[in-house]
Amino acid sequence: MLNRKNIVLRLQMFRHALLLLMLGLFSMNTFAANTLLILGDSLSAGYQLPADTIWANRIKQQWQELENPINVINASISGDTVAQGYARLPEQLKQHQPKWVLIELGANDGLRGYQPAQIKQQLSELITMIEAHNAIPILMQIYVPPNYGKRYSDAFIAIYPTLAKERQISVIPFFLADVITKPQWMLADGIHPNADAQPFIAQWMSQHLLPILK
């Protein structure tokens, strides 16, 4: 039989375990409440690059040192269009419960010549889904090569600031614009940044994202 001393000791152990559990749950909830989900394509997935070199993984490590750490989930897949990102988003939102979602999509749509009005509508639907999950959408401006002429390029580029204004959300510049002019930072395809460009992109992204996230 348990004596009084053993009963008191077990109660103290139980209280201690319960306190640790509550602190752990608080820490997990705080961490989840400061999560940025990146929904992108190869520019964020790190096409042909080792995972530890990708800009998204670099800022993930750097942001753990912040006074209020921000978790980063990189849900980017090379080749994704806006529609493919939309199809994947519900599961990502359910699993990660992000506070913010960075939308880095549209380049593959533009390279395939999809109509700007269609791309804009699909991006708007992405924004609606994100907001319906009480997360904050952030757009990244995307440019495309002038393969389809200036008229198409201009219409495509205008999608992002126009949509950001209409939906009253933040839009950040396109990091590739500051990278593609440096051949030493590009892969042989002339489209994707290489490993040498990733530290610059990570710094660039932190500079433009942190003021929004804070």
Side-chain angles (χ1 to χ4, degrees), residues 35-39 71-75 89 92-93 96 98-103:
T35 295
L36 169 69
L37 176 70
I38 303 172
L39 188 72
N71 187 29
V72 177
I73 303 296
N74 189 10
L89 183 58
Q92 296 296 327
L93 292 170
H96 302 294
K99 182 175 182 179
W100 309 276
V101 180
L102 174 63
I103 304 169

Side-chain angles (χ1 to χ4, degrees), residues 1 22 28-29 51 84 116 118 132 157 211:
M1 295 179 64
M22 291 175 65
M28 289 173 62
N29 288 336
Q84 288 169 324
Q118 173 189 338
I157 292 169

